């Protein structure tokens, strides 16, 4: 009886120990799995107003940005992980993070301002942005030192060609002849000006706006862009389903509804770009005259040239040594600055008003410092710079170039202000210090 009891107790102890070990091991496995799931999916990628955007959402955005990269640079299916491609793909991590931040800012601003769009508007924008068109054109570029006269001659020539084509707009032989003998776009002059199927963003705004408004088959009046005068015709149009970007994204299992929803952010971007431009800086306004020293310090990505980066860091150390010795800022600029347009002038950049620089921290420091003082060192993933305050004026008139720069920068300037206001933090390794 005693032996039976001992054996029973031993069995109980063994079962208990085995169960404890089993539960411990299962617990470890569950903990490891949950930790891995958290790190892979729920760990924050971005903080916005104290709230986290998860790595899962970041990876979803990154997948779309990768598709854009494959299509824009012609990476064929099956070569997505080629070693040469991987180096370039790494740059799109920052693009994806910036897209997440921008969408969060636009959502927040839209809620605050009561800006909404119905599904019909979003669908129309989706079709507009991802639909494609097939144009052809003849480009006449002004030539000569007298810019005004050259422009008049080019416009007259373009009008004559447009009038000729309007008489017989679908005459392929005529397009072939006029393009070959007149067009300054050598890439298609020998094919009747045919540009093939194109998407939004492939041509300058003036060209795209004209193509969008032009009835199919009609020949345009001359359209002026930075390249000259275009005479264009839209031959065909097709919907987003034929767009290579859409087809490639769907093949990678990216939901079509997810892509379609991006049209809302395009509408919001246009709305807040317009609002930012309307907040014109009054003239006269507060301005500072500044000089700078600029040194390229591109952060070495995977496979990058680390030695070059190290050499540039040594150059920064040499600049700091000169500052410590009391060397004049202009002399340091002439010796070390890599901005060829300003270094021989001691780094002088000219007058700056609010909104001409998009880096909010730099701008705030420039306007806070007294004349003769130098800013701290400012670095991002591409450059390291220092500024010196040469002069201040509390009410200086803006010239046309300054007004244009403020207008061109308006949306980015507003976006960066919003990043500061919402306490944006990027937490993906390697991007914590991104501006």
């Amino acid at each position: 009886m005693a032996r039976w009891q001992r054996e029973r107790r031993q069995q109980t102890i063994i079962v208990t120990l085995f169960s404890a070990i089993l539960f411990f091991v299962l617990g470890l496995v569950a903990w490891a799995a949950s930790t891995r799931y958290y790190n892979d999916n729920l760990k924050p990628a971005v903080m916005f107003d104290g709230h986290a955007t998860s790595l899962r959402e970041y990876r979803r955005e990154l997948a779309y940005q990768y598709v854009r990269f494959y299509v824009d640079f012609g990476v064929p299916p099956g070569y997505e992980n080629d070693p040469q491609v991987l180096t370039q793909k790494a740059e799109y991590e920052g693009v994806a993070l910036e897209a997440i931040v921008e969408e969060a800012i636009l959502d927040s601003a839209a809620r605050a301002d009561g800006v909404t769009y119905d599904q019909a508007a979003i669908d129309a924008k989706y079709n507009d942005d991802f639909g494609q068109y097939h144009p052809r054109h003849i480009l006449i570029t002004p030539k000569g030192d007298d810019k005004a006269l050259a422009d008049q001659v080019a416009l007259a020539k373009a009008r004559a060609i447009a009038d000729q084509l309007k008489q017989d707009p679908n005459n392929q032989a005529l397009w072939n002849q006029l393009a070959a003998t007149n067009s300054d776009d050598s890439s298609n002059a020998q094919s009747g000006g045919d540009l093939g199927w194109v998407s939004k963003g492939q041509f300058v705004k003036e060209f795209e706006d004209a193509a969008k408004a032009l009835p199919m088959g009609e020949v345009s009046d001359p359209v002026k862009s930075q390249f000259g005068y275009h005479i264009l015709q839209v031959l065909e149009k097709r919907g987003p389903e034929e767009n290579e970007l859409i087809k490639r994204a769907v093949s990678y299992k990216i939901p079509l509804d997810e892509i379609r929803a991006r049209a809302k952010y395009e509408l919001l971007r246009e709305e807040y770009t317009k609002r930012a431009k309307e907040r014109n800086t009054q003239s006269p306004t507060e301005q500072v005259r500044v000089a700078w020293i600029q040194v390229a310090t591109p952060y070495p990505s995977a496979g990058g040239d680390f030695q070059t980066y190290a050499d540039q860091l040594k150059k920064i150390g040499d600049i700091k040594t000169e500052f410590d010795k009391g060397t004049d800022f202009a002399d340091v600029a002439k010796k070390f600055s890599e901005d060829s347009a300003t270094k021989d002038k001691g780094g002088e950049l000219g007058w700056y008003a609010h909104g001409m620089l998009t880096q909010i921290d730099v701008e705030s420091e420039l306007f806070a410092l007294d004349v003769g003082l130098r800013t701290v060192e400012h670095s991002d993933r591409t450059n390291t710079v220092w500024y010196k305050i040469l002069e201040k004026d509390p009410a200086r008139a803006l010239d046309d170039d300054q007004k244009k720069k403020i207008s061109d920068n308006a949306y980015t300037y507003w976006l960066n202000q919003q990043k500061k206001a919402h306490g944006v933090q990027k937490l993906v390794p390697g991007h914590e210090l991104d501006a």
Side-chain angles (χ1 to χ4, degrees):
M1 185 73 174
R3 180 182 175 186
W4 177 82
Q5 288 177 331
R6 281 197 309 272
E7 290 177 350
R8 185 63 179 261
R9 281 197 302 268
Q10 288 173 351
Q11 289 175 352
T12 301
I13 291 170
I14 291 171
V15 169
T16 302
L17 286 173
F18 178 78
S19 299
I21 293 170
L22 178 61
F23 283 124
F24 177 73
V25 171
L26 290 175
L28 281 178
V29 171
W31 175 81
S34 63
T35 301
R36 186 167 59 249
Y37 182 82
Y38 171 79
N39 288 335
D40 290 346
N41 295 277
L42 303 181
K43 190 176 180 179
V46 170
M47 296 298 294
F48 183 89
D49 279 340
H51 301 289
T53 298
S54 70
L55 278 173
R56 180 167 51 196
E57 294 174 77
Y58 159 68
R59 289 200 177 95
R60 189 156 46 226
E61 177 64 34
L62 184 58
Y64 173 77
Q65 296 298 338
Y66 280 162
V67 176
R68 282 186 53 210
F69 165 70
Y70 300 146
V71 173
D72 289 347
F73 291 91
V75 178
Y79 288 83
E80 293 88 348
N81 294 315
D82 182 273
Q84 297 298 319
V85 172
L86 288 175
T87 300
Q88 301 301 319
K89 278 174 65 173
E91 299 298 322
Y92 278 72
E93 294 177 1
V95 175
L97 279 170
E98 195 60 33
I100 288 174
V101 170
E102 183 180 10
E103 289 177 4
I105 288 171
L106 290 171
D107 278 334
S108 177
R111 284 194 301 270
D113 297 333
V115 178
T116 60
Y117 299 100
D118 60 23
Q119 193 59 48
I122 293 172
D123 289 345
K125 184 62 175 171
Y126 169 74
N127 289 326
D128 184 41
D129 284 354
F130 290 98
Q132 296 181 301
Y133 61 102
H134 178 189
R136 57 183 172 186
H137 84 144
I138 293 171
L139 174 65
I140 306 300
T141 301
K143 300 177 181 68
D145 295 332
D146 187 333
K147 292 185 179 181
L149 177 60
D151 190 83
Q152 290 177 9
V153 171
L155 176 57
K157 183 177 180 181
R159 281 175 175 160
I161 293 171
D163 289 343
Q164 194 172 351
L165 287 169
K166 286 180 180 183
Q167 300 301 314
D168 195 359
N170 297 315
N171 187 329
Q172 184 65 53
L174 181 60
W175 273 92
N176 291 345
Q177 175 203 335
L178 292 175
T181 56
N182 296 284
S183 185
D184 291 307
D185 185 350
S186 58
S187 66
N188 51 70
Q190 300 305 314
S191 58
D194 197 318
L195 295 166
W197 285 103
V198 299
S199 303
K200 181 181 178 181
Q202 289 186 238
F203 293 105
V204 291
K205 185 176 186 300
E206 296 87 350
F207 186 102
E208 290 195 343
D209 288 348
K212 180 180 176 181
L214 195 64
M216 199 135 54
E218 186 175 305
V219 175
S220 73
D221 291 327
V223 176
K224 188 175 184 179
S225 79
Q226 67 196 71
F227 301 106
Y229 289 95
H230 307 261
I231 305 98
L232 65 100
Q233 181 187 48
V234 176
L235 300 171
E236 303 172 86
K237 294 182 180 181
R238 64 188 185 189
E241 64 279 356
E242 295 298 321
N243 188 317
E244 182 60 28
L245 175 65
I246 301 298
K247 292 194 290 186
R248 192 83 173 259
V250 171
S251 74
Y252 293 137
K253 310 302 182 187
I254 296 176
L256 192 57
D257 287 346
E258 188 178 302
I259 303 172
R260 188 184 297 272
R262 292 174 182 277
K264 181 189 79 170
Y265 292 106
E266 287 298 322
L267 289 168
L268 287 172
R269 188 177 293 110
E270 290 176 0
E271 173 64 24
Y272 282 95
T273 297
K274 182 181 73 174
R275 293 188 183 205
K277 289 179 181 292
E278 288 171 352
R279 300 186 192 100
N280 289 328
T281 301
Q282 292 185 349
S283 182
T285 187
E286 181 184 15
Q287 295 194 44
V288 292
R289 185 167 69 90
V290 299
W292 80 334
I293 296 169
Q294 178 262 331
V295 176
T297 48
Y299 191 80
S301 57
D305 184 358
F306 189 84
Q307 185 58 52
T308 298
Y309 180 65
D311 292 343
Q312 292 299 89
L313 291 182
K314 182 181 181 302
K315 190 173 188 178
I316 290 172
D318 293 341
I319 291 171
K320 290 178 179 179
T321 299
E322 294 296 327
F323 286 153
D324 291 340
K325 286 164 40 179
T327 306
D328 182 69
F329 188 94
D331 291 335
V332 179
K334 289 175 183 177
K335 183 177 180 180
F336 292 103
S337 183
E338 295 174 357
D339 179 21
S340 59
T342 63
K343 66 175 297 180
D344 292 338
K345 300 182 295 181
E348 182 166 350
L349 285 167
W351 288 93
Y352 276 74
H354 288 281
M356 290 178 65
L357 289 171
T358 57
Q359 303 99 320
I360 305 303
D361 288 343
V362 174
E363 181 189 84
S364 298
E365 189 178 5
L366 289 179
F367 281 90
L369 286 176
D370 293 330
V371 172
L373 295 182
R374 184 184 73 241
T375 68
V376 299
E377 173 188 319
H378 289 274
S379 297
D380 57 23
R381 293 176 69 86
T382 57
N383 290 296
T384 297
V385 300
W386 298 260
Y387 296 88
K388 181 180 179 181
I389 312 304
L390 303 177
E391 192 176 351
K392 284 191 167 187
D393 191 329
R396 180 182 174 86
L398 295 169
D399 61 33
D400 290 341
D401 287 341
Q402 288 178 308
K403 290 176 182 177
K404 183 178 186 305
K405 190 159 192 174
I406 292 171
S407 177
D408 291 344
N409 287 345
Y411 178 72
T412 302
Y413 185 72
W414 172 80
L415 203 62
N416 288 342
Q417 286 179 315
Q418 296 301 305
K419 291 177 188 176
K420 295 286 289 183
H422 291 285
V424 169
Q425 292 178 278
K426 297 176 182 177
L427 303 177
V428 173
H431 295 273
E432 299 93 338
L433 299 181
D434 284 3

